[in-house]
Amino acid sequence: MRQRRSADYAEFASARAGHLYRSACLLTAGDTHLAEDLVQETFGRLYVRWGRVSRAENPAAYAQTVLTRTFLAHRRLRSSRERATDTFPDLPGAADGDAPLRLTLMAALARLPAKDRAVVVLRYWEDRSVEQTADALNVSSAAVRTRCVRALGRLRELLGEDLHEFSRP
């Protein structure tokens, strides 16, 4: 029984690792090292509760919620010796696609407050509903809508209304 449970967990973790990592990269605004740490912490928390998680209606959504809450907890508890920087490490997959657009979007995301960034990632990257996002963040639907409006407005200020200069010809 225990061996089967471990095999189920390993299968789930390998299937979800890439998606969780990409979400973590967005949440951390391109800090790939922190993204790896957050995903590792998420998988550790999932493993401890795998019996309950595996019986959940949607284990993938549960994992995303754990990742988001881990990110927000990290932002609250960040050590005073850590310093944010305005430079980005090499991003996996940055060679394919629009590197200037990707870097511009990551820089803009980095300038959003952590909770606003989490709402944007969950609503628009994860394509969750307002209610699902509210549940993941443990806030009201009204708070999610307010944060969406505020975050998108701030992104428009930072990026301008026209992003065509960054896109491929």
Side-chain angles (χ1 to χ4, degrees), residues 122-163:
L122 289 173
R123 286 280 292 130
Y124 302 105
W125 171 256
E126 292 291 322
D127 198 28
R128 291 192 181 193
S129 69
V130 171
E131 292 75 23
Q132 291 169 327
T133 302
D135 186 49
L137 297 175
N138 203 25
V139 297
S140 69
S141 296
V144 169
R145 287 189 291 273
T146 300
R147 285 193 178 277
C148 278
V149 169
R150 182 185 313 145
L152 292 177
R154 180 70 177 134
L155 286 174
R156 282 186 191 98
E157 285 176 19
L158 295 170
L159 299 172
E161 291 293 328
D162 189 18
L163 287 175

Side-chain angles (χ1 to χ4, degrees), residues 12-25 39 43 125-126:
F12 174 81
S14 65
R16 296 302 303 166
H19 186 79
L20 287 174
Y21 177 72
R22 287 186 297 278
S23 293
C25 284
V39 171
F43 280 135
W125 171 256
E126 292 291 322

